[in-house]
Amino acid sequence: MTTTQTRMAAEVAEQPEAARRTLDHLLAQRDALRELARDRRRVLLVARGSSDNAAIYGRYLLETAAGVPASLAAPSVATHYRARLDLADTLVVSVSQSGSTTEIVETQQWARDCGAATVAVSNVAGSPLLEAADLALATQAGPEVAVPATKTYLTQLLALGVVAAALGPREQAERSVADLERVPDAVAGLLGTDVTAAADALARAQQVVVSGRGLLLGTALETALKMEETCLRPVRGYSYADLRHGPISVVGDGVLAVLVAAGSGPLAGAMAELADDLHERGARVLGIGGTADFAGRCDVHLAGPDLPETVEPVASIVPAQLMIERLARTLGLDPDNPRGLAKVTRTDR
C-alpha cells in the first residue's frame, strides 16, 4: 500500500474551505431563489449518479424542513419518451458536477419548455447547465481532479441546503442559515478520523450492504456508490425500509453491514435496532454517525458530526470518503482513477 497522498485524499481535505466558499457565494442568492419560486408549489430535482444521491437529500430536506413537496425526476421521460407535462407550478432544480451531462442539460430545457422555472447547481462556471438556467448556483469547490466526486458532492449538498433555507418559512430562515454555517468546522473536525479498522473490516468482508434512513439515506447510497466505483467491489445500497422488506433475509455470516445513522431525530433509534437484528443474523456492523447507543452496538464505528439532523448529511459523508480512499489503497487500487470511469458522465441519449 503506497503512502503517497492521493488526489482523492487531498480533495477530501479541501472540503472545509470549499464549503466556506460555497456558502459565502450561495447564501447571497436566497432572495433570488425565493422570488423565482414564488407561486411555484413543488420542486422537481433532476440528477444522475452522485448528484442523484445529493438530490435525495434535497428531497427529504425540502419536505421536512421547508414544507415544500419535492420529487426526483426520471430524465428519460424528457429525453426518450418526450412527454409533455404541465410544470407551470414547478421549480426544477438540476444538479450536475460538470454541468455538461447532455441528458441533464436536455432535461432542464424540457422542463423550461413545459413551463417550469429552473435552477441549476454545478461546479463549473459557464457550463451549459448553468448558462441555460433561470438561476445559476455555482458551487465553489474548485477544480476536482480525482474521478470520485468528493468536494463537488459535498458542496452540492450545501447548495440544496441553501435552496431549502430560501424556500422554507421565513421565521426559520435564520436558524437554517446558522445550521449551514456550522458545517465547514464540522467537516474540518472529521478529517482526522482514524479509518484503519473500518477499511480493514471492509477488505475482509465477503459481502457488503449499506443502509440509511430519512435525511441520511442519500449519504448511505453515496457511500455504496463510491465503494463500488472506487474499490471495484459489488455493494448494495438500501433504504432502511427496503432492507427490512426482503433483502435482510439473505444477510448472514460473511456480510458486513455499513449503517449510516443520524445522531438525533425520529429515526435514530431504529438504526440501533437494525444493528441488533443484523447481528442476530450473523452479520458484522460498521456504523457511521448515530447516537452513543448505536455506536455501542457496532463492531466498528466512525463518529459523525455534531450537527442538527437537517445538515448532518453534508458532513456525514466525510468519514465514508476517508474510509473508501483508505480501502482502495489497501486493495492496491488507485482511487483517483477507477477503472472504466471518466469525470464527465455520458448517459445514453
Side-chain angles (χ1 to χ4, degrees):
M1 180 179 66
T2 179
T3 57
T4 303
Q5 187 182 48
T6 64
R7 280 304 309 165
M8 182 180 178
E11 288 165 359
V12 169
E14 292 168 7
Q15 290 181 124
E17 287 307 313
R20 291 186 182 98
R21 290 193 303 269
T22 295
L23 287 173
D24 287 346
H25 184 67
L26 297 187
L27 284 172
Q29 295 181 258
R30 282 177 293 147
D31 288 343
L33 276 163
R34 192 176 295 114
E35 178 60 25
L36 184 63
R38 190 162 52 90
D39 300 326
R40 308 279 174 166
R41 296 180 51 255
R42 57 187 175 132
V43 173
L44 185 64
L45 296 145
V46 179
R48 287 291 195 196
S50 287
S51 299
D52 202 37
N53 295 329
I56 290 171
Y57 164 68
R59 177 188 180 182
Y60 273 98
L61 186 65
L62 282 161
E63 295 195 332
T64 61
V68 178
S71 60
L72 304 182
S76 59
V77 170
T79 60
H80 283 71
Y81 291 98
R82 305 193 185 281
R84 296 295 300 179
L85 304 182
D86 182 359
L87 300 181
D89 67 345
T90 305
L91 179 71
V92 167
V93 181
S94 300
V95 188
S96 167
Q97 177 269 321
S98 68
S100 297
T101 301
T102 302
E103 183 183 34
I104 306 304
V105 173
E106 290 185 357
T107 301
Q108 179 177 260
Q109 184 57 51
W110 164 86
R112 291 191 73 183
D113 292 343
C114 290
T118 58
V119 174
V121 176
S122 173
N123 192 52
V124 181
S127 62
L129 194 71
L130 292 183
E131 289 291 299
D134 294 317
L135 182 63
L137 300 182
T139 57
Q140 304 296 305
E144 189 172 66
V145 177
V147 171
T150 54
K151 60 181 180 173
T152 54
Y153 174 79
L154 186 142
T155 53
Q156 285 177 348
L157 298 180
L158 287 173
L160 293 168
V162 172
V163 172
L167 272 55
R170 288 181 179 269
E171 60 269 22
Q172 294 181 14
E174 188 173 330
R175 170 59 66 85
S176 297
V177 171
D179 289 344
L180 285 167
E181 289 177 334
R182 291 177 57 186
V183 169
D185 286 344
V187 171
L190 292 169
L191 292 178
T193 301
D194 184 354
V195 296
T196 305
D200 288 348
L202 285 166
R204 295 193 303 268
Q206 298 174 23
Q207 182 181 353
V208 178
V209 297
V210 185
S211 185
R213 195 173 190 189
L215 284 156
L216 272 296
L217 174 59
T219 305
L221 297 180
E222 175 64 7
T223 299
L225 175 62
K226 280 291 173 289
M227 207 178 304
E228 281 200 318
E229 69 181 15
T230 307
C231 302
L232 308 181
R233 291 285 185 90
V235 179
R236 292 301 304 270
Y238 297 100
S239 73
Y240 171 97
D242 286 342
L243 180 60
R244 283 285 195 193
H245 292 157
I248 199 169
S249 63
V250 300
V251 171
D253 293 339
V255 173
L256 179 65
V258 180
L259 304 184
V260 184
S264 61
L267 304 179
M271 296 303 290
E273 295 171 4
L274 178 60
D276 284 347
D277 193 357
L278 293 167
H279 274 139
E280 290 174 3
R281 295 170 183 271
R284 300 186 74 229
V285 175
L286 193 169
I288 300 176
T291 63
D293 179 43
F294 170 76
R297 303 188 195 198
C298 297
D299 298 286
V300 181
H301 181 259
L302 300 177
D306 180 16
L307 289 171
E309 186 188 13
T310 50
V311 294
E312 185 178 2
V314 185
S316 288
I317 192 60
V318 175
Q321 293 169 340
L322 294 169
M323 173 184 74
I324 291 163
E325 189 273 345
R326 178 62 179 266
L327 174 61
R329 291 189 292 115
T330 298
L331 297 174
L333 301 171
D334 178 4
D336 296 342
N337 298 287
R339 185 179 67 204
L341 295 181
K343 193 64 183 169
V344 179
T345 303
R346 303 291 183 189
T347 50
D348 174 29
R349 297 181 63 250

